[in-house]
Structure formats: C-alpha cells, structure tokens
Amino acid sequence: MHTTKSLRTSFCKILLLAALVAFLTPAAHADTLYVSNIVSGVVTSFDSAGTGSIVTNAGLDQPVGLAFDATGNLFVSNFNGNYITKITPTLAQSIVIDNTTLGSGPHMDEPTGLAFDSLGNLYIANIGAGTIIQVTPGGVGSLYASAGLNTPIGLAFGPNGHLFVANTGQSPGLNSGSRFIEEIFSAGSSVDHFYAGLSIPFGIAFSPTGDLFVANLGNNTIEKINVTTGVTSTFASGAAVNVPTGVAFDSAGTLYVANAGNNTIYKFDSAGTPTLFAQNVGGDLNQPRLLAFAPEETTATPLPATFWNGLTMLALCGPYPLLRRLRNPATRTQNF
C-alpha cells in the first residue's frame, strides 16, 4: 500500500513538472530582417536563412528609414517624396504622415532615420532641414531637435531613454572633417556631442548589452562605443564592411550590417567574425540603406494540450481527486 502511494505521488510530480515545462517553454520565433533599398525603391525582408523577398515595390519613393511600432506595423521614410508609409503585418500599405498632415508644424525635408519611443511617438530625422520631428500616435507633429544637428540620418534610443543621432555632416566647432554622434536628452534640449571623430556615421544600433554600434561609412568600419565611458573601438572592418550603411541586432544579439558598396548583408558574432548572410539576387538588395528587425510576435499562443493534460491528470491522481476535470478553453473539450 505504501509503495503504491509513493508511485502515485512520484507520477503526479512528473505530471506537474511536464505541465510547468509546457507552460514556461516560449514559442519559437524566427527573426525577420527588413532592408530599405533606395535605388530600386523597394523594401525587402529576409528570413533567418537569408532568403529574401520583396515586401513592396510600389508606392515608395527612395525608401531609407525603417521602424516598427509596438503592434508590428512597419513605417518607412521616403527620402524623395517627403512622406512616411505604413505597412501592416498583412501588407496593407498607406501614407500616414506627409507635409499636409503635419499642417503648420515642422515639415519633413528629405526624411531618413526613424525610431519609436516607449510611448509610441515616432521620430523622423531630416537631412535637408537638419531637424528631428516628433509625431505622436495621434499624428500631431512638433520640432524635437534642430540646434547642433547636421544632416542627421541614423536614430536609436539608448538604454537611458535618450535619443542618439548619427550626423553625416561636419560638427560645428570641431576639427574639419569630424562627424559625430549626438545625444538628445529631451525635446528642445541642447544636443550633446556624445562622440566625435567619426567619418560619415550612417546607421546606428544598440546591442543587448547597451553598447552603441555605428556604421562608419567613410572609413569602412563598424565602431563600438561604450556609452558609459565613451571608449570606442573598431569592431569590424575588411572585405565584409564595404560602404556600410545599416546596422541591426537580432534577438540573439547577432549584428547585421548592410553594405551599399557591394549590395550584401553580413552578420557578425560577438567576436566580430563575419558570415555572408545575403547578397543581391533579382534586385532584392540594390543600394541597401537602413535595417530593422520585426518585433517579437505579440499574439497570444494557446497553451499546449500537454499542459492541460498534465493538470487534468494531476487533479485526478492527487490525494483528494477533483470531481470535475479541467477543460482546455481553446477546445472546450475534456483532456484525458
């Protein structure tokens, strides 16, 4: 009798463990990389294997900046057309911001980099005006920053919540030829010359550890900057970095670099070792500019049947079996 009770207890523990494992195991998610191509006027997506497909080849006018909102909509800046296109997960496409919708507020002038903050505000870098415009989720635009900016392109929010900006133009007051990264603390505040001495910084991205990575187009390097100390080092160079434009990190912390010089994308491990990820096939990479990874899937995933089976059996085999079985709400049927 004692042996039977022990076996039943052990069996129930195993069922409980199986149910917990089923509950805690996350659903697999394959990172999808999006690339703007300014010459061909298309946005391309690449799966984790590097297989590309054109997301859209209509309605865009020299796309450059890419950014996803919290619900998975892709926003694209159109450099020549001065408007922002929204592409939904179902590929419905529309112009959501242009100089008409902005009204009497600041206007776009050759928009490039895009970024969303945690509140859903969209930030737009403008090369022609040397400004950054903030647009609320309701579509209200305002001037976020201008003083000290010179042909801004890449945008990225840092771990401290500040907006970082890559300026391809020369920094006022610094040595001739010096380009810089700006740090903007809040709307209307003076910009801080966070890091100078770069040669045409283009795309920027923060790593999972909080370091800032810069596509240093003028020197064909990828620079790594510790934002706490300001110490910089060259993370990558050589044949895998050929007129680098866009940079982005996937969910595993792997760095991806778009190269306009040879229409390729390379990925780099934490040691800076490159691997060819994608190259131009049928026009899916034609003068690539900026990169963006689609956000993690946010739709609820039904709990697997093993979870409900485990709880049902646990309820039945406990010291005081429940009189009714647990039901799987996804099917409304009993699991045994």
Side-chain angles (χ1 to χ4, degrees), residues 15-279:
L15 288 174
L16 177 59
L17 179 61
L20 288 174
V21 169
F23 177 73
L24 295 174
T25 301
H29 174 77
D31 291 301
T32 302
L33 179 65
Y34 288 75
V35 187
S36 62
N37 297 273
I38 193 169
V39 171
S40 56
V42 304
V43 171
T44 308
S45 66
F46 291 88
D47 63 20
S48 57
T51 302
S53 61
I54 294 176
V55 176
T56 179
N57 58 0
L60 301 180
D61 193 351
Q62 296 186 3
V64 177
L66 303 174
F68 282 92
D69 67 9
T71 58
N73 297 305
L74 176 62
F75 288 70
V76 184
S77 70
N78 293 271
F79 179 83
N80 189 56
N82 291 323
Y83 59 88
I84 305 298
T85 300
K86 174 184 172 182
I87 304 173
T88 69
T90 59
L91 301 185
Q93 184 174 321
S94 60
I95 295 175
V96 290
I97 304 171
D98 59 21
N99 286 336
T100 299
T101 63
L102 290 174
S104 60
H107 282 187
M108 287 180 286
D109 188 354
E110 298 178 337
T112 52
L114 302 177
F116 279 96
D117 66 14
S118 59
L119 299 178
N121 298 307
L122 177 63
Y123 296 78
I124 307 169
N126 295 277
I127 278 186
T131 62
I132 295 173
I133 296 174
Q134 178 196 70
V135 182
T136 69
V140 178
S142 60
L143 181 64
Y144 187 75
S146 61
L149 297 179
N150 192 347
T151 57
I153 292 185
L155 300 180
F157 276 94
N160 57 5
H162 298 166
L163 181 63
F164 288 74
V165 185
N167 289 270
T168 59
Q170 182 179 331
S171 171
L174 297 180
N175 293 332
S176 176
S178 180
R179 272 68 173 176
F180 53 98
I181 302 294
E182 295 283 16
E183 181 179 9
I184 304 174
F185 295 85
S186 62
S189 66
S190 60
V191 296
D192 175 55
H193 295 319
F194 171 71
Y195 187 82
L198 297 169
S199 179
I200 313 181
F202 212 88
I204 59 177
F206 280 91
S207 71
T209 58
D211 292 315
L212 180 61
F213 284 70
V214 182
N216 201 24
L217 183 150
N219 284 344
N220 288 324
T221 62
I222 303 299
E223 300 298 322
K224 174 183 176 181
I225 304 174
N226 184 310
V227 295
T228 302
T229 64
V231 174
T232 184
S233 59
T234 297
F235 178 77
S237 59
V241 186
N242 189 336
V243 191
T245 51
V247 288
F249 285 91
D250 67 12
S251 60
T254 301
L255 175 66
Y256 291 72
V257 177
N259 293 293
N262 56 8
N263 293 325
T264 61
I265 298 175
Y266 276 82
K267 62 180 182 179
F268 295 80
D269 62 20
S270 58
T273 302
T275 302
L276 180 63
F277 175 72
Q279 54 190 332

